Amino acid sequence: MDPAETLADHCAKTAGDLTVPALLHRNATEFADLPALTTLHRDDTRTWAELRDEVAELSGGLAEIGLEPGNRMLIMMSSRPEHWLVDLAAVHLGAVPSTIYPTLSTDQMRYLALHSGAQVLVLEGSAELARWRAILPDLPDLRRIVLVDEVEPGDTTAQSVPLSQVRAAGRSAHRADPGAFERRWREIRPEQPVTVLYTSGTTGDPKGVVLSHHNVIYQAVVLEATVSVPDHAASVAYLPLAHIAERELGIYNPIYRAGHVTICPDATQLIPALRAVGPVSFFGVPRVWEKMAAGVQAQLATAEPAVQAAFNAASAVTLEAYELRAAGQAVPDELAARVAQADATVLRPIQSTLGLQNMVWAGSGAAPIPVEVLRFLAGLGIDVLEVWGMTETTGTATINTPERFRTGTVGRPNPGLQVRLADDGEILVRGPLICSGYLAGDGSVEPITDADGWLATGDVGTIDEDGFLTITDRKKELIITSSGKNISPAHIEALLRAHPLIGQAVAIGDRRPYITALIVLDDEIAPQWARACGVSDARLPGLASDPQLLAQIQAAVDAANAKLARPEQVKAFQVLPSSWTPESGELTPTSKLRRRVIVDRYRESIDGLYQAASEAR
């Protein structure tokens, strides 16, 4: 980097005219034999040269079945190598792939297929095709369905074609015109779409966010410029590719850095995947970090007193150094030496059980994470640094870095990105990470910024004197009590979720006299706790009314209330007897709360909380 350049200038110049196909070409040329893609516990590693060869074949095959530049292609399948391959194959044609969540309802699938105007649909196999069969007559734009797995002849449709046949057609086309693949991708420009990602639709219909090659490459350049992670690093991909974080960290950033991605197809196998890979960087949504912290706490609770004492001493010294660094102060040599000793003798073995012993940068985003969880993990020697952004900002808009972070904030703006607050506290952003716009029903792209290029994010926050941003809530999710108090439910919910037994919580109180809460138990930690305490029924329905467990939840509520202003405090709560999942409808595919669904579904319970609290008064 030229000393006279700003970091923003450096990122802009580095991203330049790069496209995803140009980077893949570079990798296949300069790093041909380096590993690119592997599936956990399978001997299927593809080098960069092998991966690009497969992409070239599939790209030609997709062209043969009618996929053209500018066409949209929907993908619904699990995380597996073919997902990466067909996505990149479409991109090399100048087409626009869009991964959608497998947990969508039939109505949601129909909406996205119609809205996107997808000409090609890629499905995993017969189970997925069976889910789509009823709505296929409603999709006039759909030409072909590509089936990744082989299916029985009776399970096919007139539109369906196996991926193996697409690949074979592409191979034949390549032999007939070897230069076609190169000509196609070299025509692609940085401002063209590289993908469309649909938002969760928490406040209405999902929106199709159009991201360009420049957007996703600039984000990768920013990460390289702000976090010192080595080239060709190994990483674990475990989130759905419909999630902007996995799109960026699982596809585009590894292509930019020529990294090695290990696919973890089953998120329940994340810890074994981390142990196998030992990555130097890892992004986890808050629930991942909360479960890790709860798991370590549960193990420590049953450990020998000497082990607990050793951990507490090591954690205390590590936290002391962490607090100094968070405040921007130097760590004295003597303290640094004690931290190193604590890490080597006590903390590193625990980190290794999580697969995080090599961690250089650990990030959290997509939702608030309790500060107590961050502090516990910091005491474990794992600095989890919050970021903030959205699909519309191609992932992170602000970031905490190992060199400069502040606990409880989401960091400072990425190089080249401007952040300011509107009069009502809404966060506005402008810069090269802002998406091209929203896909319209007619295939055009609708701008989402004002005349000056500012995007109104819908998030509300504050910015301190050093430029660190703190998110206080979603603008549309603020609770306004009947007495006119504006309250952030996310803040209350994060404090409640800090307790290991609590998996999800939703604060209620809009147009009500005070705050109440619905609480969902952690479906892994709660049964473990019950068995350790000798509770006869360790299942969630029984635990929801168990006096011992309710006493623990009351203590968690009391601890949260001690940190809240009086109008924010939870006056009553109910523990629910079942989990919330995207399939059950209370959560979006990215595990965000569907507040309107929850309020409607549990209206009787909510009314009961207020009635009981009123009678108690």
Side-chain angles (χ1 to χ4, degrees):
M1 177 175 168
D2 186 333
E5 282 184 328
T6 66
L7 201 54
D9 290 338
H10 168 76
C11 291
K13 186 170 76 173
T14 303
D17 292 331
L18 291 174
T19 64
V20 169
L23 288 170
L24 189 57
H25 173 75
R26 178 207 64 183
N27 291 354
T29 304
E30 298 180 20
F31 311 115
D33 296 329
L34 289 182
L37 196 62
T38 300
T39 308
L40 182 67
H41 301 322
R42 286 180 57 184
D43 184 21
D44 66 350
T45 298
R46 291 164 169 83
T47 65
W48 282 109
E50 291 168 340
L51 186 146
R52 187 171 186 268
D53 286 345
E54 288 191 66
V55 166
E57 289 181 353
L58 287 174
S59 183
L62 290 174
E64 288 294 305
I65 65 170
L67 191 67
E68 300 175 353
N71 286 175
R72 269 83 63 195
M73 181 180 83
L74 289 186
I75 306 172
M76 180 183 271
M77 71 168 118
S78 61
S79 293
R80 51 189 289 178
E82 292 87 352
H83 201 146
W84 272 252
L85 293 168
V86 296
D87 186 286
L88 291 170
V91 168
H92 279 69
L93 284 176
V96 188
S98 177
T99 294
I100 60 176
Y101 290 100
T103 54
L104 295 178
S105 68
T106 301
D107 286 343
Q108 290 169 327
M109 293 189 308
R110 179 187 290 106
Y111 174 82
L112 295 190
L114 287 170
H115 183 270
S116 67
Q119 287 82 9
V120 173
L121 173 65
V122 183
L123 301 177
E124 192 146 12
S126 55
E128 290 72 27
L129 183 58
R131 293 187 61 207
W132 280 85
R133 193 180 294 272
I135 61 176
L136 293 179
D138 303 335
L139 309 179
D141 295 321
L142 187 65
R143 300 174 193 161
R144 302 305 295 266
I145 302 170
V146 178
L147 299 175
V148 177
D149 291 336
E150 298 293 334
V151 302
E152 295 297 325
D155 292 337
T156 61
T157 70
Q159 296 164 296
S160 62
V161 58
L163 183 66
S164 58
Q165 184 176 320
V166 174
R167 189 191 303 269
R171 193 178 301 123
S172 297
H174 181 68
R175 283 196 296 265
D177 186 359
F181 175 69
E182 295 289 333
R183 290 195 302 273
R184 289 179 183 130
W185 76 256
R186 289 185 184 277
E187 293 175 356
I188 296 169
R189 309 311 309 155
E191 64 275 9
Q192 288 180 226
V194 71
T195 190
V196 171
L197 293 184
Y198 279 90
T199 61
S200 300
T202 55
T203 58
D205 288 332
K207 297 180 177 66
V209 179
V210 181
L211 297 173
S212 69
H213 289 258
H214 186 72
N215 287 148
V216 302
I217 292 171
Y218 191 93
Q219 181 68 262
V221 172
V222 160
L223 190 59
E224 177 187 47
T226 53
V227 179
S228 183
V229 173
D231 286 332
H232 315 305
S235 62
V236 173
Y238 74 102
L239 291 169
L241 285 173
H243 195 298
I244 181 57
E246 198 64 270
R247 274 264 151 192
E248 189 62 43
L249 298 176
I251 299 180
Y252 308 125
N253 188 64
I255 289 177
Y256 175 68
R257 302 297 296 273
H260 180 196
V261 177
T262 293
I263 302 170
C264 177
D266 180 357
T268 64
Q269 295 300 302
L270 175 58
I271 298 300
L274 292 171
R275 289 174 184 157
V277 175
V280 294
S281 65
F282 175 70
F283 174 87
V285 293
R287 197 71 199 115
V288 168
W289 296 116
E290 290 163 6
K291 282 183 173 290
M292 285 187 184
V296 173
Q297 289 167 337
Q299 291 178 350
L300 289 170
T302 59
E304 295 292 329
V307 173
Q308 294 179 353
F311 173 81
N312 291 337
S315 178
V317 71
T318 304
L319 265 176
E320 184 180 351
Y322 170 83
E323 297 290 3
L324 288 173
R325 291 186 290 111
Q329 300 177 25
V331 177
D333 291 344
E334 180 272 335
L335 177 57
R338 287 194 289 138
V339 170
Q341 176 69 13
D343 188 71
T345 58
V346 178
L347 301 179
R348 184 60 62 89
I350 302 175
Q351 297 165 14
S352 297
T353 66
L354 301 173
L356 302 178
Q357 69 277 9
N358 300 323
M359 201 53 44
V360 173
W361 181 82
S364 179
I369 184 170
V371 170
E372 289 79 0
V373 173
L374 295 176
R375 285 180 52 80
F376 177 81
L377 293 168
L380 190 57
I382 303 168
D383 296 350
V384 177
L385 305 175
E386 285 194 89
V387 302
W388 169 79
M390 51 203 304
T391 307
E392 290 88 339
T393 62
T394 325
T396 66
T398 65
I399 186 171
N400 279 295
T401 68
E403 291 74 28
R404 194 164 189 188
F405 66 92
R406 189 156 295 171
T407 310
T409 78
V410 292
R412 305 187 329 141
N414 278 327
L417 205 71
Q418 297 172 274
V419 176
R420 68 178 178 89
L421 302 180
D423 292 341
D424 61 357
E426 183 174 7
I427 302 164
L428 308 178
V429 294
R430 179 170 68 178
L433 290 173
I434 307 302
C435 68
S436 303
Y438 291 140
L439 182 69
D442 62 2
S444 63
V445 179
E446 299 174 343
I448 62 171
T449 59
D450 65 17
D452 296 320
W454 290 99
L455 169 67
T457 65
D459 281 329
V460 177
T462 60
I463 300 174
D464 69 16
E465 65 279 3
D466 295 318
F468 286 90
L469 177 67
T470 298
I471 306 298
T472 56
D473 213 336
R474 287 288 296 169
K475 186 175 180 179
K476 294 183 179 179
E477 292 178 357
L478 284 173
I479 289 173
I480 304 177
T481 65
S482 56
S483 59
K485 297 289 186 182
N486 284 16
I487 292 172
S488 164
H491 179 50
I492 300 168
E493 292 153 3
L495 289 173
L496 292 172
R497 289 201 322 273
H499 195 285
L501 287 174
I502 298 178
Q504 294 286 352
V506 62
I508 307 294
D510 200 44
R511 296 186 294 276
R512 303 273 194 170
Y514 45 80
I515 302 299
T516 62
L518 298 176
I519 290 173
V520 175
L521 298 175
D522 186 287
D523 55 9
E524 294 179 11
I525 301 300
Q528 293 176 17
W529 173 89
R531 288 188 287 270
C533 294
V535 177
S536 57
D537 187 355
R539 296 170 298 174
L540 294 193
L543 290 176
S545 58
D546 180 78
Q548 291 185 70
L549 184 133
L550 290 176
Q552 292 289 319
I553 300 302
Q554 183 64 63
V557 171
D558 292 343
N561 283 344
K563 299 175 182 178
L564 294 167
R566 185 175 296 276
E568 299 174 310
Q569 292 176 354
V570 177
K571 299 298 191 293
F573 66 88
Q574 180 175 337
V575 178
L576 301 179
S578 59
S579 298
W580 289 345
T581 66
E583 291 79 7
S584 63
E586 294 91 351
L587 304 180
T588 72
T590 55
S591 294
K592 295 184 178 71
L593 295 171
R594 291 193 187 273
R595 295 182 187 275
R596 286 186 296 180
V597 171
I598 292 168
V599 170
D600 289 344
R601 185 167 295 178
Y602 296 95
R603 188 172 299 281
E604 185 175 338
S605 295
I606 293 168
D607 290 342
L609 283 174
Y610 285 95
Q611 181 178 351
S614 297
E615 292 172 354
R617 289 168 176 246

